[in-house]
Amino acid sequence: MVRLISYLVGLAFVGVLAIALFGTVSSAISNPAAETAEEEFHLHPHDIGLSSNGFFGRFDNRQVQRGFQVYKEVCAACHSLKYVAFRDLAEIGYSEAEVKAIANQWVIEQPTINPETGEAATRKNVPSDRFPSPFPNEIAARAANNNALPPDLSLMTKARHDGVNYVHALLTGYRPQPAALVREFPGAKTPAGLHYNPYFANLNIAMPPPLTSNGQVAYADGTNATIDQMARDVSAFLTWTAEPKLGARHAAGIATLVFLLIFTFLCWGAYQNVWRDVKH
């Protein structure tokens, strides 16, 4: 009797869950949620086709160096690279002397303490130093950027979905807010101090357009510095900062696959040799 009652209670519980699920699904189908401004006007980045993409991808050091120049002259005033050291630049083709010069001439110096007075001081950067933050702390960073905290860019292309394409799209995506958006969603008008960018999650971003004109950076190799080119190059540089060993990892993967193919062939040959005289 107790067992029968338990079965009936369980059956009733399952029935209630089924009815609730059916009601929820029916309601969602008959009365779908209204589309938000973000869902309707948000755009998705397209593939910019960097040489580092794909299984056999490798960095184009000339492009990565151009991207570093864009970071140095445009982005470094607000964004840090706290996981990257100056000496890491040797991996993208800079010589030891060039790395030392870059570190020594970097505008922002390393914070330190004067050993004689005990007061805060600064010193020149050396290759082993990581890129210094443009602000002494978060409070100062927010105070200088309308209370918005500029994110560290070291791992940005890993921290965002479709990161490298997202960075390029964001940098080139600033535009006037569409009139249709304001008509359809009056409450979605871009607030004062923010900037409309359809590639940003909520369409409005605190960062003003960093790339404002062609030729903003004078490339050392003579490449035409259009806004699109500068955005591509700095995207390539930030792909490298997020995964500097990408080329070595791809090479190791290819070598491993070749080894496994050879090993499989040798195992098959050994099997055939050992069992060649055995009749089935």
Side-chain angles (χ1 to χ4, degrees), residues 156-170:
M156 183 56 64
T157 58
K158 290 293 184 182
R160 298 292 185 270
H161 173 68
D162 199 13
V164 61
N165 298 322
Y166 166 80
V167 170
H168 173 268
L170 189 74

Side-chain angles (χ1 to χ4, degrees), residues 121-190:
T122 60
R123 63 167 175 80
K124 293 288 187 179
N125 297 284
V126 296
S128 59
D129 287 325
R130 294 185 178 183
F131 282 84
S133 172
F135 304 103
N137 52 49
E138 180 178 333
I139 295 175
R142 290 187 181 277
N145 291 278
N146 196 25
N147 203 39
L149 180 64
D152 180 79
L153 298 183
S154 306
L155 304 176
M156 183 56 64
T157 58
K158 290 293 184 182
R160 298 292 185 270
H161 173 68
D162 199 13
V164 61
N165 298 322
Y166 166 80
V167 170
H168 173 268
L170 189 74
L171 292 175
T172 58
Y174 289 88
R175 62 196 65 179
Q177 188 177 46
L181 186 153
V182 180
R183 286 197 304 268
E184 189 172 348
F185 304 95
K189 182 176 175 59
T190 299

Side-chain angles (χ1 to χ4, degrees), residues 105-129:
Q105 297 167 7
W106 197 257
V107 175
I108 304 163
E109 297 185 343
Q110 290 290 334
T112 186
I113 300 295
N114 188 321
E116 297 180 359
T117 64
E119 296 180 351
T122 60
R123 63 167 175 80
K124 293 288 187 179
N125 297 284
V126 296
S128 59
D129 287 325

Side-chain angles (χ1 to χ4, degrees), residues 1 19-21 23-24 32 36 38-39 78 81 134 142 163 169 175 179 201 211 218 220 252-253 256 260 262 275 280:
M1 186 65 177
I19 293 172
L21 178 61
T24 301
T36 64
E38 290 84 354
E39 292 173 332
C78 296
L81 280 179
R142 290 187 181 277
R175 62 196 65 179
L211 301 176
T256 300
L260 290 175
I262 295 174
W275 296 95
H280 297 286

Side-chain angles (χ1 to χ4, degrees), residues 51 55 67 78 84 121 141-142 165 168 185 195 199 202 213 252-253 269 280:
S51 62
F55 185 76
C78 296
V84 183
R142 290 187 181 277
N165 298 322
H168 173 268
F185 304 95
H195 307 269
Y199 295 99
N202 66 359
S213 62
H280 297 286

Side-chain angles (χ1 to χ4, degrees), residues 59 64 68 71 75-76 78-86 88-89 106 129-134 150-160 163-164 167 234-245:
F59 289 117
V64 177
F68 169 64
Y71 168 77
C75 310
C78 296
H79 296 277
S80 58
L81 280 179
K82 64 182 180 181
Y83 297 118
V84 183
F86 288 100
D88 294 333
L89 296 175
W106 197 257
D129 287 325
R130 294 185 178 183
F131 282 84
S133 172
D152 180 79
L153 298 183
S154 306
L155 304 176
M156 183 56 64
T157 58
K158 290 293 184 182
R160 298 292 185 270
V164 61
V167 170
V234 78
S235 298
F237 172 68
L238 294 180
T239 301
W240 172 77
T241 65
E243 196 170 4
K245 302 300 182 183

